[in-house]
């Protein structure tokens, strides 16, 4: 403290308070204290001796070093003709959370899928891993890609044949990304004479 002529009187005992929720003081009363910063934001610290009050200038607290990264959604199922946006949340040693989606380096291991910043566009069917990395900290999410709408149906038959002679057909069915359909489909012709009238495609084909 100082007197009216600005002479130093020595240490003065007072009460310490923190405004702005940026942290806590090691001691709420005394001639000195230590400020522990825990929460990002803007605030001040004030000392009062019951008669006089003084407040220091504004303190700006930023996030601490990233110690953990989480990707959302952690697991998801979608079809090969769809896309999915991910969010990356960072955490520091004090448990503060913040969005770092735009700062993360994104990657995926889908052979024909793509990653445009945080948006994954599915390609090959299967289970794939989405990876986000920032400041040497990595996190992963898993995605289960199912086949999209089956739109590419191809039927191959001999170019010519004779009347009432049997011939062989080849059938294939895939989605727009080339993922094959496995399962049964019905087959018919104008005279309803085709045998068999139900076929079982394996990995997209039947002969």
């Amino acid at each position: 403290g100082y007197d009216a002529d600005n002479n130093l009187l020595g240490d003065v005992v007072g009460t310490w308070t923190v405004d702005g929720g940026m942290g806590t003081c090691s001691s709420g009363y005394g001639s000195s204290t230590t400020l522990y910063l825990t929460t990002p934001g803007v605030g001040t610290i004030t000392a009062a001796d019951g008669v006089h009050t003084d407040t220091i200038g504004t303190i700006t607290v930023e996030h601490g070093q990233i110690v953990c990264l989480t990707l959302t959604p952690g697991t998801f199922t979608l079809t090969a003709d769809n896309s999915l946006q991910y969010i990356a949340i960072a955490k520091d040693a004090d448990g503060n959370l913040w969005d770092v989606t735009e700062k993360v380096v994104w990657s995926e291991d889908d052979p024909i899928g793509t990653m445009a910043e945080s948006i994954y566009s599915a390609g090959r069917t299967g289970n794939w891993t989405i990876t986000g990395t920032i400041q040497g900290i990595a996190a992963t999410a898993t995605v289960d890609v199912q086949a999209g709408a089956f739109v590419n149906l191809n039927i191959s038959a001999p170019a010519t044949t004779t009347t009432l002679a049997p011939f062989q057909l080849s059938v294939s069915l895939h989605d727009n990304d080339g993922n094959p359909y496995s399962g049964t489909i019905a087959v018919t012709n104008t005279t309803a004479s085709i045998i068999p009238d139900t076929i079982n495609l394996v990995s997209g084909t039947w002969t």
Side-chain angles (χ1 to χ4, degrees):
Y2 295 84
D3 63 15
D5 295 315
N6 206 34
N7 296 305
L8 178 63
L9 301 178
D11 292 340
V12 175
V13 175
T15 301
W16 299 91
T17 56
V18 179
D19 299 312
M22 60 184 175
T24 59
C25 288
S26 61
S27 174
Y29 184 81
S31 59
S32 66
T33 191
T34 301
L35 175 61
Y36 295 104
L37 300 173
T38 59
T39 307
V42 177
T44 59
I45 183 170
T46 301
D49 65 358
V51 178
H52 309 93
T53 300
D54 188 31
T55 300
I56 65 169
T58 300
I59 299 174
T60 300
V61 182
E62 298 181 346
H63 299 104
Q65 184 175 355
I66 297 174
V67 298
C68 181
L69 184 68
T70 302
L71 306 185
T72 302
T75 58
F76 201 83
T77 299
L78 77 164
T79 57
D81 46 10
N82 277 313
S83 60
L84 177 65
Q85 183 165 21
Y86 284 87
I87 297 173
I89 301 297
K91 182 170 71 172
D92 64 17
D94 291 306
N96 298 302
L97 302 174
W98 70 102
D99 191 330
V100 292
T101 302
E102 296 182 357
K103 298 179 180 179
V104 161
V105 177
W106 296 93
S107 63
E108 44 74 32
D109 61 356
D110 178 345
I112 61 172
T114 59
M115 202 82 197
E117 296 181 345
S118 62
I119 299 176
Y120 164 67
S121 295
R124 183 75 69 217
T125 56
N127 292 302
W128 311 113
T129 301
I130 308 298
T131 302
T133 305
I134 184 172
Q135 297 179 11
I137 304 296
T140 60
T142 58
V143 58
D144 177 19
V145 178
Q146 305 291 326
F150 294 103
V151 295
N152 298 317
L153 176 63
N154 296 299
I155 301 176
S156 299
T160 60
T161 187
T162 58
T163 303
L164 301 179
F167 60 89
Q168 190 172 31
L169 293 175
S170 294
V171 180
S172 65
L173 180 60
H174 298 78
D175 66 13
N176 271 329
D177 291 298
N179 296 301
Y181 171 78
S182 292
T184 58
I185 63 172
V187 182
T188 188
N189 63 351
T190 56
T191 60
S193 60
I194 196 167
I195 297 174
D197 59 3
T198 300
I199 60 175
N200 185 41
L201 274 69
V202 178
S203 297
T205 61
W206 175 86
T207 298

